[in-house]
Amino acid sequence: MNRTTKFVDVILPVAVPNTFTYRVPMDLNDLVVPGQRVVVEFGRRKRYSALVRCIHEKAPEAYQAKYIESVLDESEIVTESQFQFWEWLADYYLCTIGEVMVSALPASFKLASETKLISNPDFDRDYDRLSDKEFLVVEALEIQMVLSLMDVSELLDQKTVYPIVKSLLEKKAVLIEEELKERYQPKIDSFVKLSAEYSNEEKLQIAFDELQRAPKQLELLMRYVELSNLFGNSKREVRKVNLQKSSNANSSQVNQLVKKGIVEIYQKEVGRLQLDELETNSLLNLNEEQENALNTINKILDEKRVCLLHGVTGSGKTEVYVRKIKEVIEQGGKALYLVPEIALTTQLIHRLKRYFGNRVGVYHSKFNAQERVEIWNKVLKGEGYDVVIGARSALFLPFQKLDLIIVDEEHENSFKQFDPAPRYNARDASMMLAGITNSKVILGTATPSIETYWNANNQNYGLVELKNRFGGLKLPEVFCADIKEEKRKKTMNGNFTSFLLSSVREALEQGEQIILFQNRRGYAPQCSCEECGWVPQCTRCDVSLTYHKYDNRLSCHYCGYSVQPFRVCEGCGSHKLQMMGFGTEQIEEELNTLLNGARIRRMDLDTTRNKNAYQNLLQSFEDREIDILVGTQMVTKGLDFDNVSLVGILNADQMLNFPDFRAFERSYQLMAQVSGRAGRRQKRGKVIVQTWNPNHWIIQKVMANDFTGMYKQELLERRNFNYPPFYRLILLTVKNKDKALADSGARALTKLLQTKLKGWVLGPEYPAISRVRNYYLLNILIKFDRNASPGKIKRYVTDCIIDFKQNKEFKACVVRIDVDPI
């Protein structure tokens, strides 16, 4: 055994700037390796599972090293390339390595004294598998419901309980409390089967005879017999939706068979990502433009690390990605496919599964911690998955041979993490990860961000363009509906222009589907007194309350505060209170009044809180059980439906008038993306944009599908006013519950920054919403030339914040750092 005194530097899951050094007990000398978790004491009576960064023989000079208490893993769970990536994130985004660790690791890897344990309701109660101490913990949980690790330590009368807790987690006897809140709910689907009474051929013939006068029900029963292979050797289960689709029937006709006792409906867990058929399909043939694009991408990636694939909506970018992934897999590599929001990519996941089967892994925060650990371990061992699809957190997986990173819809804000630190952008971070792992990056979108397109035009990235829709389809026709003119002529119907409403009715008559986009949820954004103008405000945030009719509440969308609607004005006592503006809920209600018999559903945060709700909505829309889908930004992403012929944008001005230098760029992107949902198969689609200002240059660019024109105009504005991509930004937000202290603190910090940065420091200024959750906010914006050294500026900013925090007067002020804010 090695008798040398060893020390380890460990990363703790807390916001401290440095690693800490601990001494390794002699009996653990040969067991400790970098990347393992070890249990250490930090502070008074607090214990954490820390990560070993490195092993050495030098004792710390500033303090006496404590001993590590135990080793939790047999081998590394974090690789050297991951550590390098974490350190870059901490340095670039001005946060601590501990904060990166907290974001990167699944919850089950981050045990701490404060971690709460709860009993697992799915535990099989096989107590023989438990040791005596494990049994004591499980028994105590059944009585007390929740135990912290400190409680477990006292219960067992021993200092180190991490190995016991780790074993209980592996045996699925307990859960971490946060796991229950995030508990993964698999997809539940409806299936059809013959009732017991009609399960033989003789009885079934009677059913056929009885249904002669109900031809649709007879067709359904015949299709069931065919789909289920009822008289064959291997019977198949029949999904209700597949039966309806193959018979061109609806739910009510199936329900008639249920009422007659011929069939039964049963629910079955099919898994979130499971497909009806696990066999993989052969790849689709690329058209000439796609084939040329793929060849050009390959040539570019031989010389450059990053390539932008700029293709109009419906041009077949996904098929190009799939073909490139196939090439990577055939060469023995792995691929990571990043999407902005995993909940919005059901169709994409199914599509990849059809090509690559069970070699596709899925990783995101909606799975519970145990499932994330399983995926983590599979990726670490290089087993099971050739391609992983995930949201931004998938960047942290321990890939062994990562060759390709695809960032789909690279312009999306969802790639940016806003809270907590690190406030990283997965698009930008993917390029650094590619440099560390020697892999390549493909950025794909129909509406690139200004910065990405600028980099492509300046030869920093490669650029490949797909200018035509797949199959020769035309881009949708975009029309403007002038709200001001229709108000003058009194032809408006509620919030609908006559042009949009007549187009909706025409599409319904032809059996086509419609998507309506309104980027505001709720019934009305504001309630106001007609007499004095009083508006109900949130008590914790400086924002008006939004009225939600479904639960009859006025709610704050920032902190969740809600109250019953006011009957009288609290300012003047008047009863004349009116709702101002409109949200998706009001649109849904108006449509139900205007279009009798149309099947209308709403898709926003309120209707998709349940983990299955989004998928169920999409499935119903795909199965044509919904005629009109009303939604927020959710309807602009990840949707590809054959039958959508009309898209309506109900209030374009709301996006255009947002006080932000990126407002026009984002407006163009949103409108172009939602427009792209129309006419994706045979018929050319139609898009109607409702606006008070039809001549606004952004709307004109959307109508002309002129991304290049928008880009050039925006670039000119950015150059004139020193914004990205010509300048870099760092946003500092000073927060405190005392308004005066927040104000004086922000001014003091600004004065410190201006000592060297002078004119590059703007502010402090109150943001549009100056108080959130009782914290007053002031923003300080640092703008510096792209040619300046970002490392030097960031070090100076960090030094200023340290000096600021050392002032006792401002010790209670929180300073939030956002590098490259969006």
Side-chain angles (χ1 to χ4, degrees), residues 670-736:
L670 269 175
M671 286 190 273
Q673 288 286 339
V674 75
S675 298
R677 303 311 111 200
R680 294 176 74 92
R681 290 302 179 266
Q682 292 82 20
K683 183 178 176 181
R684 188 179 187 186
K686 183 177 181 181
V687 179
I688 298 175
V689 181
Q690 291 193 162
T691 175
W692 290 83
N693 185 9
N695 296 318
H696 194 289
W697 72 272
I698 280 290
I699 292 175
Q700 292 297 314
K701 297 297 182 189
V702 172
M703 292 175 69
N705 190 40
D706 184 8
F707 171 81
T708 305
M710 183 278 294
Y711 165 75
K712 288 179 179 177
Q713 178 66 30
E714 275 293 283
L715 204 63
L716 182 63
E717 296 289 321
R718 303 279 183 94
R719 189 190 297 275
N720 290 339
F721 294 100
N722 299 336
Y723 279 109
F726 305 104
Y727 272 62
R728 299 179 188 270
L729 305 180
I730 298 175
L731 179 67
L732 305 181
T733 303
V734 178
K735 300 167 57 177
N736 197 279

Side-chain angles (χ1 to χ4, degrees), residues 152-429:
V152 175
S153 181
E154 291 173 7
L155 172 71
L156 302 179
D157 193 24
Q158 68 181 60
K159 190 165 64 171
T160 303
V161 295
Y162 288 74
I164 294 168
V165 172
K166 179 173 179 277
S167 177
L168 285 169
L169 285 167
E170 288 171 351
K171 293 173 182 177
K172 298 186 172 146
V174 300
L175 296 172
I176 293 173
E177 186 177 35
E178 63 191 88
E179 287 186 281
L180 191 65
K181 296 174 187 172
E182 298 180 357
R183 202 73 194 282
Y184 172 66
Q185 298 178 12
K187 184 179 177 182
I188 306 297
D189 218 335
S190 298
F191 288 79
V192 180
K193 67 177 181 180
L194 280 177
S195 60
E197 186 181 346
Y198 290 91
S199 58
N200 60 61
E201 287 190 43
E202 186 179 334
K203 287 284 188 180
L204 189 60
Q205 187 57 52
I206 294 172
F208 281 127
D209 294 339
E210 290 175 352
L211 294 175
Q212 292 300 321
R213 294 184 179 179
K216 202 63 185 176
Q217 294 172 39
L218 178 62
E219 184 185 353
L220 274 166
L221 186 56
M222 292 173 68
R223 289 294 294 154
Y224 170 80
V225 171
E226 181 183 338
L227 291 173
S228 65
N229 196 25
L230 189 62
F231 302 116
N233 295 326
S234 55
K235 294 182 175 57
R236 295 188 291 260
E237 290 185 293
V238 179
R239 289 177 64 205
K240 180 184 173 187
V241 67
N242 287 349
L243 179 61
Q244 290 173 201
K245 190 185 291 185
S246 63
S247 308
N248 199 22
N250 54 43
S251 293
S252 61
Q253 289 161 335
V254 177
N255 292 337
Q256 289 299 317
L257 289 177
V258 175
K259 285 181 182 178
K260 292 176 180 178
I262 297 172
V263 300
E264 297 173 2
I265 305 294
Y266 65 98
Q267 306 292 316
K268 181 184 173 183
E269 179 183 308
V270 296
R272 187 180 183 92
L273 304 172
Q274 185 176 326
L275 297 174
D276 298 329
E277 299 176 3
L278 289 177
E279 301 92 37
T280 57
N281 296 346
S282 58
L283 301 184
L284 294 178
N285 292 324
L286 302 183
N287 63 24
E288 184 179 352
E289 188 180 24
Q290 289 172 314
E291 200 73 59
N292 291 336
L294 180 60
N295 293 334
T296 308
I297 288 170
N298 286 332
K299 288 176 184 176
I300 288 171
L301 293 181
D302 286 339
E303 301 175 4
K304 298 179 184 291
R305 178 153 285 131
V306 184
C307 180
L308 169 63
L309 176 58
H310 176 208
V312 298
T313 55
S315 59
K317 294 185 291 294
T318 304
E319 297 303 328
V320 176
Y321 301 150
V322 167
R323 189 61 62 90
K324 181 61 182 173
I325 290 170
K326 183 173 182 288
E327 290 178 5
V328 166
I329 292 172
E330 286 174 348
Q331 293 166 9
K334 310 288 184 185
L336 171 61
Y337 196 133
L338 288 180
V339 288
E341 294 179 44
I342 198 67
L344 307 178
T345 56
T346 304
Q347 292 176 319
L348 177 58
I349 295 165
H350 278 241
R351 207 158 159 185
L352 289 180
K353 284 258 185 178
R354 290 200 183 279
Y355 295 138
F356 302 111
N358 291 327
R359 291 181 295 165
V360 177
V362 184
Y363 186 83
H364 57 86
S365 60
K366 296 300 180 186
F367 290 135
N368 70 37
Q370 289 174 347
E371 288 169 313
R372 274 180 273 162
V373 167
E374 288 174 12
I375 296 169
W376 184 283
N377 289 334
K378 278 189 174 183
V379 173
L380 180 64
K381 294 172 185 174
E383 300 172 354
Y385 303 129
D386 292 325
V387 54
V388 174
I389 180 170
R392 58 177 182 261
S393 59
L395 272 177
F396 294 115
L397 284 169
F399 291 98
Q400 293 300 313
K401 196 176 185 307
L402 183 62
D403 280 354
L404 176 66
I405 303 173
I406 293 170
V407 185
D408 197 17
E409 307 297 352
E410 63 82 22
H411 67 279
E412 275 290 341
N413 293 349
S414 306
F415 282 123
K416 173 79 172 178
Q417 176 160 306
F418 293 97
D419 273 311
R423 295 176 180 86
Y424 68 100
N425 189 316
R427 175 197 64 203
D428 301 338

Side-chain angles (χ1 to χ4, degrees), residues 383-492:
E383 300 172 354
Y385 303 129
D386 292 325
V387 54
V388 174
I389 180 170
R392 58 177 182 261
S393 59
L395 272 177
F396 294 115
L397 284 169
F399 291 98
Q400 293 300 313
K401 196 176 185 307
L402 183 62
D403 280 354
L404 176 66
I405 303 173
I406 293 170
V407 185
D408 197 17
E409 307 297 352
E410 63 82 22
H411 67 279
E412 275 290 341
N413 293 349
S414 306
F415 282 123
K416 173 79 172 178
Q417 176 160 306
F418 293 97
D419 273 311
R423 295 176 180 86
Y424 68 100
N425 189 316
R427 175 197 64 203
D428 301 338
S430 69
M431 299 176 204
M432 178 52 62
L433 180 62
I436 293 169
T437 59
N438 196 28
S439 50
K440 304 294 185 179
V441 179
I442 298 176
L443 308 175
T445 179
T447 53
S449 63
I450 298 293
E451 290 93 326
T452 298
Y453 203 64
W454 181 82
N455 274 309
N457 280 318
N458 282 275
Q459 309 298 314
N460 298 326
Y461 308 158
L463 175 62
V464 177
E465 297 190 290
L466 291 171
K467 298 183 178 180
N468 301 296
R469 280 191 155 187
F470 185 81
L473 295 173
K474 291 184 178 180
L475 286 165
E477 289 182 281
V478 183
F479 300 93
C480 235
D482 189 342
I483 297 174
K484 182 166 63 177
E485 184 65 15
E486 294 225 10
K487 286 271 189 185
R488 186 182 69 80
K489 293 180 178 178
K490 298 182 179 179
T491 54
M492 291 286 291

